[in-house]
Amino acid sequence: QSALTQPASVSGSPGQSITISCTGTSSDVGFYSYVSWYQQHPGKAPKLLIYDVTKRSSGVSNRFSGSKSGNTASLTISGLQAEDEADYYCCSYVGASTWVFGGGTQLTVL
Amino acid sequence: QVQLVESGGGVVQPGGSLRLSCAASGFTFGSFGMHWVRQAPGKGLEWVAYIPYDGSNTYYADSVKGRFTISRDNSKNTMHLQMDSLRAEDTTLYYCAKDSGTYASDIWGHGTMVIVSS
């Protein structure tokens, strides 16, 4: 159950688009279409953004989108806003009712 | 409204035990699986354990297998995490989370802090 690999940090200016990658293996991200993404502001609980690779959770802005290619999933945030500055985590189902998270990516809005 | 509230955290010596609780409200607790997820200060999220809606089985991360036990009481809308043989590396914030039914966690509590220190 090795953690999925995410970049430690990404940054972008307001209005721009950014993409956060999440790399796993053919046993997790590459095998299951059950990748989810979470947003976490400092001192707050995580919030579900995306599930099943591409589906937005209820109430989540359509500026957030998810995709997957091979063993790598991605979260794209378009029209970057100051409120998007947070930590982002991917998570993959890995079978036998177990899950693994990525190490997290800190997004800075310049 | 839909809410999860964790309790039971505190300071415990290495090798000691602690029992966390998660009280659910605002949804049909007995219809959903539940997770424990932890986060060390300044670190990332780590999935810890999962229990299906009916408590029929339990599943654990390798890091806690054999030391932690997840359980639930659907009559009291409550989930628990019994933590034994605690180690310094178990010092983290423990979140309970509701499984969405789609292999994700859609509702999270605010967490309860566990500190393992002599």
Side-chain angles (χ1 to χ4, degrees):
Chain A
Q1 294 177 346
S2 299
L4 307 176
T5 301
Q6 297 181 232
S9 63
V10 298
S11 63
S13 299
Q16 287 185 331
S17 293
I18 64 95
T19 296
I20 299 172
S21 61
C22 169
T23 302
T25 69
S26 56
S27 298
D28 41 59
V29 175
F31 190 83
Y32 296 99
S33 292
Y34 299 131
V35 175
S36 51
W37 289 91
Y38 301 85
Q39 176 191 62
Q40 186 180 36
H41 287 106
K44 300 294 185 181
K47 172 188 174 182
L48 176 64
L49 296 175
I50 301 287
Y51 65 98
D52 290 356
V53 179
T54 63
K55 298 175 182 176
R56 272 186 300 276
S57 184
S58 176
V60 173
S61 169
N62 58 11
R63 297 187 298 106
F64 294 88
S65 62
S67 62
K68 188 183 83 165
S69 177
N71 297 337
T72 299
S74 299
L75 173 72
T76 298
I77 308 174
S78 59
L80 210 55
Q81 299 179 1
E83 68 207 48
D84 299 332
E85 186 161 294
D87 293 329
Y88 292 84
Y89 294 91
C90 63
C91 180
S92 177
Y93 180 69
V94 297
S97 294
T98 60
W99 284 257
V100 64
F101 280 94
T105 299
Q106 184 177 49
L107 169 62
T108 300
V109 179
L110 301 170
Chain B
Q1 74 277 23
V2 179
Q3 193 174 10
L4 296 171
V5 179
E6 302 93 337
S7 61
V11 181
V12 60
Q13 291 188 338
S17 299
L18 211 56
R19 188 188 194 214
L20 305 184
S21 297
C22 172
S25 60
F27 66 97
T28 307
F29 180 72
S31 296
F32 295 93
M34 295 291 294
H35 302 264
W36 285 100
V37 177
R38 66 185 183 181
Q39 184 172 35
K43 302 296 184 181
L45 299 172
E46 180 188 12
W47 177 80
V48 173
Y50 170 74
I51 186 166
Y53 73 99
D54 60 356
S56 55
N57 283 293
T58 56
Y59 305 89
Y60 303 93
D62 289 344
S63 57
V64 306
K65 198 174 295 183
R67 301 187 299 122
F68 289 11
T69 303
I70 187 173
S71 64
R72 66 189 297 160
D73 184 342
N74 287 347
S75 69
K76 296 182 179 179
N77 289 352
T78 304
M79 175 177 68
H80 302 285
L81 186 67
Q82 176 66 40
M83 304 185 296
D84 298 319
S85 303
L86 282 162
R87 307 167 179 167
E89 55 264 36
D90 296 320
T91 294
T92 79
L93 185 66
Y94 286 78
Y95 291 105
C96 68
K98 168 186 166 290
D99 190 86
S100 61
T102 57
Y103 299 90
S105 295
D106 59 349
I107 304 296
W108 295 67
H110 289 287
T112 185
M113 188 68 197
V114 172
I115 299 173
V116 183
S117 174
S118 54

